[in-house]
Amino acid sequence: MRTYGQYCAMARGLDLVGDRWTLLIVRELISLGPSRYADLQRGLPGIATNLLANRLRELEHAGLVARTELPRPANATVFALTERGAALEGIVREFVKWGAPLMATHAPDDTFRPHWLLVPLRGLCHDATPGAPAQVVRVGTAADGCDIAADAGTVSVAPSSPSTTPDATVDGDPDALVALFTGRLPIAAADAAGMITGDVEAVRRVVGGTPASLGAQGSA
């Protein structure tokens, strides 16, 4: 393993996660939970197969990722963050906040996956009507997206589940999704543009009024 050779907590941490693609692999495992190798490849367009395998081995060796063999009928190998690896979520969230101003525009060839919004949505969404019955708003699709669940004043954001029937679904191009959840695109405008299906009030419940912690940055 390459090392900076410095007796410094930051340098020691970067020895483990500072290489190209490593934190994006962590992002995928935070966003998707335990994942097959093919799932990680789909969420990391552009990564070479051998590089992904090498990075996973390095993360396993560092005790940040664990490999599990699922029994039949799944009969598959999945990768998941260990407790130590999951502790990186706070670092990933802060890095998302720091990088938010860079999201003002995107290049035509930039790729996008709706589930990449999971980490920023955990900081952006809150329950504006805590007295209402529990509701779920899906961003993206059941195959690739995240479900925002609001209930009794709390909000949780998890990978989309085919077994969950959302009260509303929000989908659209990346710029519009970012603008909606950061308060730059009014909900009424998103609805008029066909981005929202289902209960618009459910969307208003979790989007209305962006917390200053991320909203002030101007993007997710």
Side-chain angles (χ1 to χ4, degrees), residues 112-115 117 121 137-146 148 160 166 168-178 180-181 185 187 189-198 203 207:
F112 174 72
R113 302 287 187 269
H115 73 263
L117 292 173
L121 288 179
V137 174
R138 174 163 295 158
V139 181
T141 67
D144 183 13
C146 39
I148 309 165
S160 294
T169 298
V170 181
D171 206 355
D173 66 70
D175 285 339
L177 287 173
V178 170
L180 175 64
F181 283 97
L185 177 65
I187 294 172
D191 187 32
M195 291 177 60
I196 300 172
T197 56
V203 178
V207 176

Side-chain angles (χ1 to χ4, degrees), residues 77-171:
T77 301
V78 296
F79 300 88
L81 292 171
T82 63
E83 182 177 355
R84 176 74 169 162
L88 286 164
E89 180 171 352
I91 294 170
V92 172
R93 186 181 297 118
E94 289 302 311
F95 202 86
V96 166
K97 288 168 61 177
W98 182 85
L102 306 175
M103 294 284 287
T105 59
H106 75 276
D109 58 347
D110 280 348
T111 55
F112 174 72
R113 302 287 187 269
H115 73 263
W116 291 347
L117 292 173
L118 185 145
V119 172
L121 288 179
R122 284 179 174 171
L124 286 167
C125 296
H126 69 289
D127 188 354
T129 54
Q135 291 178 300
V136 174
V137 174
R138 174 163 295 158
V139 181
T141 67
D144 183 13
C146 39
D147 290 346
I148 309 165
D151 185 18
T154 64
V155 166
S156 61
V157 187
S160 294
S161 170
S163 63
T164 298
T165 302
D167 296 278
T169 298
V170 181
D171 206 355

